[in-house]
Amino acid sequence: QVQLVESGGGLVQAGGSLRLSCVASGMQFSIYHMAWYRRVPGEQRDLVVTITYDGTTTYADSVKGRFTVSRDNGRNTVYLEMNSLKSEDTAVYYCNARLINNWDTQRGYWGQGTQVTVSS
């Protein structure tokens, strides 16, 4: 069965950095499009970044220039490098995998999430 496991979250001061990882198993990782979402309590889960199976990336305006997504198909892992963190980046971050490069819906496989807290 498909499993996505996120790690790397934690508490960081504003202006600091964190690197999230999502390790996939039970799937042919190299053919999946991957994404990171985040959710603040009481709000919907929002799309942050996407990376297609061949490495094309998109970023939400709020994180452009600060976050970088990458993938290592040999390690079945997608990364999210987060720099210049702000308090508004505080959220639970979720990894998502899907076969269709369409991000209008919240389909696909999900990880359990990792908490990122940015203190001001």
Side-chain angles (χ1 to χ4, degrees), residues 13-16 62 66-67 83-90 118-119:
Q13 288 189 331
S62 59
R66 300 188 299 120
F67 288 14
N83 299 313
S84 302
L85 283 161
K86 306 175 181 179
S87 57
E88 50 263 44
D89 295 318
T90 295
V118 183
S119 63

Side-chain angles (χ1 to χ4, degrees), residues 11-89:
L11 174 64
V12 63
Q13 288 189 331
S17 300
L18 281 175
R19 187 195 197 200
L20 306 183
S21 300
C22 171
V23 180
S25 60
M27 58 189 275
Q28 189 178 349
F29 180 78
S30 62
I31 68 171
Y32 277 78
H33 309 297
M34 304 297 295
W36 287 94
Y37 285 74
R38 65 187 181 188
R39 179 162 58 194
V40 175
E43 298 186 9
Q44 67 178 13
R45 192 158 46 186
D46 291 327
L47 182 62
V48 179
V49 299
T50 69
I51 182 166
T52 62
Y53 78 99
D54 60 354
T56 302
T57 59
T58 64
Y59 295 88
D61 288 342
S62 59
V63 306
K64 280 181 181 176
R66 300 188 299 120
F67 288 14
T68 302
V69 62
S70 61
R71 64 189 297 161
D72 184 341
N73 288 343
R75 297 179 183 272
N76 286 2
T77 303
V78 61
Y79 303 99
L80 182 63
E81 186 76 35
M82 305 186 295
N83 299 313
S84 302
L85 283 161
K86 306 175 181 179
S87 57
E88 50 263 44
D89 295 318

